[in-house]
Amino acid sequence: MSEYSPVDITPPELQPSVLAHHVPDWAEAARTPVDVTDWPQRQNAALVKFRLDDRGWPLHPHGRTGRIGRNLGKWGENAAADPIVVADTGTQRQVLLITRDDIGVEAIPGGMVDPGETAPAALVRELREETGVDLSDHHPIILGQDLVDDWRNSDNAWVASTSALYLLPATVTAVADDDALDANWWPFGSLDQLDAAITAAGRTLYAAHRPLLQRALDHLETAVQPTQTC
């Protein structure tokens, strides 16, 4: 059996020696998981249950990732909210995506849940901050609460998201802001159609959001199926 040799992905600003002097406003001050004092509360509140190892370090619920350390705001689970906004129906159906400013790909306009914030509130806030679209008066369909294959995940810190579907009768104006470089509506008859349109525009769909978008499509397809009678 080969020895496990993960890569430490902790960026310079989150190194223990640096955190001792300055903590970024988006991160917690804990230099290692041992410095975290509320693990029972975090474990109880987690979208996806996880455990701690013998050292008191959190373990990714799906096992080894090949990476250790922290490249996220918190040790353990980092809760996110992903609003999937779909307009129109049938062949005219479209989905609202942004171009992320960190990795330059097309993605759902979501982000991290702030301390003390609920997932429903984060869905509305992230959408408004990144696209200017305010759907605070809408009631979305919660599609799931799942681990996300985020590029910053490690054995010790990872992203779990509440994904929700917003249905609109027609597209609305979207203007990129905050963490978004661009905001656009894309054809959303299928994931293949979305892929083709994004590729034709010289862009790339964020791989981690593909399962969330497919779940939205599956829900939409199921919702329009006629009721079977005996």
Side-chain angles (χ1 to χ4, degrees):
M1 180 182 295
S2 61
E3 184 178 352
Y4 183 50
S5 301
V7 176
D8 190 334
I9 63 169
T10 306
E13 62 270 24
L14 294 182
Q15 292 292 337
S17 59
V18 177
L19 286 178
H21 299 92
H22 172 72
V23 180
D25 58 8
W26 51 270
E28 68 177 349
R31 287 175 282 180
T32 75
V34 177
D35 298 315
V36 174
T37 60
D38 63 344
W39 280 123
Q41 292 90 336
R42 294 191 189 194
Q43 289 177 288
N44 288 334
L47 299 180
V48 180
K49 298 305 178 185
F50 66 93
R51 63 184 181 88
L52 306 180
D53 66 14
D54 294 340
R55 302 174 300 165
W57 286 48
L59 296 174
H60 191 289
H62 285 181
R64 292 173 170 176
T65 63
R67 301 179 293 275
I68 57 173
R70 171 166 67 114
N71 193 14
L72 289 160
K74 296 170 56 178
W75 291 102
E77 182 180 280
N78 289 256
D82 288 305
I84 302 171
V85 184
V86 175
D88 220 318
T89 59
T91 58
Q92 303 303 311
R93 191 164 62 203
Q94 298 183 66
V95 65
L96 178 60
L97 300 178
I98 63 161
T99 306
R100 288 177 56 145
D101 68 355
D102 54 355
I103 51 178
V105 296
E106 304 308 295
I108 298 166
M112 297 301 175
V113 178
D114 287 340
E117 185 179 38
T118 65
L123 288 164
V124 171
R125 176 183 55 77
E126 286 289 343
L127 182 63
R128 183 173 57 241
E129 287 178 355
E130 296 190 348
T131 70
V133 175
D134 187 350
L135 296 184
S136 56
D137 59 345
H138 286 62
H139 298 285
I141 300 162
I142 303 299
L143 297 175
Q145 295 179 316
D146 311 277
L147 293 172
V148 177
D149 188 20
D150 192 276
W151 62 280
R152 297 162 294 185
N153 286 354
S154 75
D155 291 359
N156 315 119
W158 57 89
V159 178
S161 173
T162 297
S163 57
L165 177 63
Y166 289 85
L167 298 175
L168 303 181
T171 60
V172 295
T173 301
V175 179
D177 201 356
D178 195 42
D179 297 331
L181 296 175
D182 200 2
N184 290 289
W185 291 94
W186 298 90
F188 197 49
S190 68
L191 206 55
D192 286 342
Q193 183 189 36
L194 177 62
D195 263 330
I198 289 175
T199 300
R203 303 187 182 189
T204 303
L205 179 61
Y206 185 32
H209 283 173
R210 294 177 65 87
L212 304 183
L213 292 166
Q214 185 60 61
R215 178 179 288 175
L217 284 166
D218 292 343
H219 176 88
L220 291 167
E221 292 305 315
T222 300
V224 300
Q225 292 299 316
T227 302
Q228 297 295 321
T229 58
C230 298

